Amino acid sequence: MGRAKREPNDGPVIRKEKEMVSKMIDLYCRKKHHSAALCQECSQLKEYAHLRLSLCRFGEEKTACSNCSVHCYKPVFREKMKSVMRYSGPWMLLYHPIYSIKHLLNK
Ligand SMILES: [Zn+2]
């Protein structure tokens, strides 16, 4: 018996997370890598993060990734994502206070 195959997540929570993660990676790349367009490394990270969200086993019930018991990221991407979060987190607080505060309270 294999695992039941299910459709990738596409609910409002997941979509919002994808949007936020894209913004954070864009910001990080612009400020840290000084590239006008997203560099290859950051595009890969974004693609990977979106894939993880699509496949997140908690779907719409998901909590903050930093608070999750399932470490679904590969270590190399997890490290990169940590830097992005650390860097872009405070900016997000300025741009998207409600979302960020909710996210912080989730910790
Ligand atoms: Zn970059």
Side-chain angles (χ1 to χ4, degrees):
M1 293 300 279
R3 231 176 278 183
K5 185 164 164 39
R6 44 183 205 114
E7 294 295 307
N9 303 315
D10 193 32
V13 171
I14 292 292
R15 273 193 244 173
K16 185 77 193 165
E17 293 252 338
K18 284 184 182 175
E19 191 191 317
M20 292 308 295
V21 112
S22 298
K23 286 205 170 91
M24 288 174 96
I25 294 171
D26 289 348
L27 182 75
Y28 178 83
C29 191
R30 203 163 60 229
K31 304 263 182 193
K32 291 287 254 197
H33 299 154
H34 307 288
S35 51
L38 209 58
C39 72
Q40 204 192 351
E41 190 190 325
C42 293
S43 320
Q44 267 178 6
L45 179 62
K46 192 195 273 193
E47 209 172 292
Y48 185 79
H50 281 204
L51 184 68
R52 293 328 313 167
L53 282 168
S54 294
L55 301 178
C56 175
R57 68 154 79 166
F58 301 106
E60 292 296 288
E61 307 290 303
K62 85 181 284 302
T63 173
C65 289
S66 55
N67 196 36
C68 188
S69 54
V70 180
H71 294 296
C72 70
Y73 273 53
K74 278 188 206 161
V76 56
F77 284 112
R78 191 155 77 227
E79 283 310 306
K80 277 184 199 168
M81 193 48 99
K82 263 192 208 162
S83 319
V84 170
M85 294 286 171
R86 211 164 21 223
Y87 187 81
S88 297
W91 288 91
M92 286 294 120
L93 206 62
L94 284 176
Y95 294 142
H96 302 277
I98 291 166
Y99 179 86
S100 304
I101 287 162
K102 195 177 125 214
H103 220 77
L104 289 175
L105 290 177
N106 245 336
K107 276 195 175 166

